[in-house]
Amino acid sequence: MAHVKMNLPDVPPEELQAVLRPALIRVDGMPTLGPFARNWENVRKFQAREDDLLIATYPKSGTTWVSKIVDLIMNRGDLEKSQKGAIFERVPFLESAGPGMPSATDVLNKMDSPRVIKTHLQAEVLPKSFWEKNCKMIYVARNAKDVAVSYYHFYRMAYGHPEPGTWDEFLNSYMEGNVAFGSWAKHVKDWWKMRKQYKILYLFYEDMLLDPRGEIEKVMKFMGKDLPIEVVEKINKNTSFKAMKENPMANYSTFPYMDHSISPFMRKGIFGDWKNQFTVAQNEIFDQYYSREMSDTDLTFRM
Ligand code: A3P
Ligand code: EST
């Protein structure tokens, strides 16, 4: 793998083989990454605590952004505290596991409360204890087309995913729900339904771009915190796309198995980039798929 520009943990070659471009494996019906599937029993029986805050998203919908916002709110805007570790250490990714890294379930079991936890799981397969303990959850959704583009570039740079193939091939797999964490439509719709019964703050990436300060305030109120306006402004400034792209604790530059020279984790951070990637024909097919999938929900997106 000499041509690959990425951090690799010091593990035997045969273990590496299992992580690089693995096939997807289904767990309880949802396709996931091979190494994650091997830790699935520990995820299923994971014990949430009442004061956990869960950040749930479909991949590429603004997870890292909202994680950084939540971490800063928890620490009352104290940048030094929030910079004590990379975002993926401060907000462990529940279902993640792989050679050369501890499984998040192990890390979380030893972590002091209050914990902030990230997940990409479909609502259906979220460990039961999160519902039983009635934990607060923040869900971030992003429009289907920008997610497809962002996810394609993420597949290309993060070798823990299967080969994405061409953009056209990837887009087809995405519409079939045959990508890690399954169908986008099912994800956003199921979580949208759950918000009626549980403590879920449902946010949109597009709203965060249009009015970041307003959305930060929503998150703050949901968390039961009241911070002065200067602190909100400070959080806003430090969670801008530019600030996070330059911040090694937020931009995943220290994370293994990713080649940022192919496509950086902090890629564009905009809304409507799909127009640069979809052909007219792809867009027509996608629109048909979209009306089919979204005909049974009142959930709508800015496209
Ligand atoms: P793009 O690939 O479209 O640029 P996730 O954290 O869920 O994996 O989502 C990653 C996407 O969110 C990427 O989208 C990334 O650039 C974008 N992103 C991350 N931080 C952001 C920020 N502070 N502001 C706007 N977009 C951000
Ligand atoms: C997938 C989605 C996401 O939001 C973050 C991460 C970080 C952990 C990554 C994974 C991912 C992609 C695949 C891996 C994994 C760690 C090992 C695996 O190979 C890179």
Side-chain angles (χ1 to χ4, degrees):
M1 302 296 299
H3 60 289
V4 172
K5 292 197 206 92
M6 61 179 159
N7 306 320
L8 285 173
D10 191 15
V11 295
E14 59 282 10
E15 280 187 37
L16 271 186
Q17 277 312 311
V19 194
L20 302 176
R21 300 296 181 205
L24 296 176
I25 297 179
R26 279 180 189 268
V27 290
D28 297 334
M30 182 196 73
T32 191
L33 302 166
F36 292 14
R38 284 185 274 284
N39 190 45
W40 187 245
E41 270 318 301
N42 290 324
V43 174
R44 191 186 280 150
K45 61 177 197 231
F46 181 75
Q47 284 308 308
R49 303 177 193 153
E50 265 162 35
D51 57 354
D52 285 342
L53 174 61
L54 185 73
I55 296 175
T57 56
Y58 190 80
K60 311 327 283 175
S61 304
T63 332
T64 316
W65 190 7
V66 85
S67 300
K68 194 72 191 163
I69 291 172
V70 166
D71 188 40
L72 278 165
I73 294 174
M74 287 268 252
N75 291 296
R76 309 188 64 82
D78 186 332
L79 296 178
E80 239 172 78
K81 275 199 190 142
S82 170
Q83 288 293 93
K84 275 195 179 144
I87 193 65
F88 50 81
E89 290 159 346
R90 300 189 59 82
V91 180
F93 178 15
L94 178 64
E95 58 273 26
S96 73
M101 52 197 272
S103 66
T105 46
D106 279 351
V107 171
L108 284 163
N109 289 336
K110 292 180 201 133
M111 196 166 169
D112 292 336
S113 293
R115 305 179 294 189
V116 183
I117 306 174
K118 153 182 168 176
T119 188
H120 290 319
L121 295 178
Q122 296 270 351
E124 247 177 32
V125 300
L126 184 75
K128 296 262 173 315
S129 62
F130 283 100
W131 307 118
E132 286 160 5
K133 296 274 159 65
N134 201 19
C135 297
K136 280 191 189 172
M137 307 180 188
I138 299 178
Y139 187 85
V140 190
R142 185 180 188 187
N143 77 80
K145 293 181 185 175
D146 284 332
V147 168
V149 175
S150 182
Y151 210 3
Y152 171 61
H153 292 294
F154 190 48
Y155 252 64
R156 290 172 55 233
M157 67 83 80
Y159 281 70
H161 296 104
E163 282 289 351
T166 63
W167 157 243
D168 198 61
E169 286 163 349
F170 180 82
L171 188 61
N172 276 313
S173 308
Y174 178 76
M175 286 188 281
E176 286 160 7
N178 196 16
V179 290
F181 307 103
S183 150
W184 171 88
K186 181 168 170 48
H187 209 284
V188 296
K189 285 191 295 184
D190 284 359
W191 280 95
W192 180 247
K193 272 188 219 145
M194 293 313 256
R195 89 193 190 293
K196 293 184 189 145
Q197 257 176 291
Y198 293 95
K199 291 191 264 183
I200 299 175
L201 176 68
Y202 201 104
L203 301 176
F204 295 90
Y205 177 88
E206 293 76 15
D207 293 345
M208 290 170 63
L209 278 181
L210 288 170
D211 178 18
R213 171 120 61 88
E215 297 302 297
I216 292 171
E217 278 170 356
K218 264 193 210 165
V219 173
M220 189 177 79
K221 291 209 176 77
F222 180 72
M223 290 170 66
K225 308 269 182 209
D226 191 11
L227 302 175
I229 185 76
E230 313 82 72
V231 176
V232 174
E233 204 30 71
K234 184 174 169 193
I235 295 176
N236 185 18
K237 194 166 147 246
N238 285 282
T239 55
S240 71
F241 179 73
K242 188 169 176 290
M244 285 185 55
K245 189 176 170 74
E246 287 165 3
N247 180 354
M249 294 300 156
N251 66 16
Y252 273 85
S253 54
T254 57
F255 197 83
Y257 309 115
M258 289 180 182
D259 185 345
H260 295 259
S261 71
I262 295 179
S263 175
F265 187 94
M266 296 290 166
R267 200 180 54 92
K268 289 196 178 173
I270 58 169
F271 160 42
D273 187 40
W274 64 268
K275 291 178 188 144
N276 302 314
Q277 184 84 39
F278 280 67
T279 64
V280 173
Q282 285 166 344
N283 195 36
E284 273 171 21
I285 295 171
F286 197 88
D287 283 344
Q288 287 165 17
Y289 149 85
Y290 194 85
S291 351
R292 257 192 332 271
E293 290 291 323
M294 301 300 277
S295 61
D296 58 350
T297 178
D298 58 347
L299 171 61
T300 57
F301 285 82
R302 299 176 205 261
M303 210 86 99

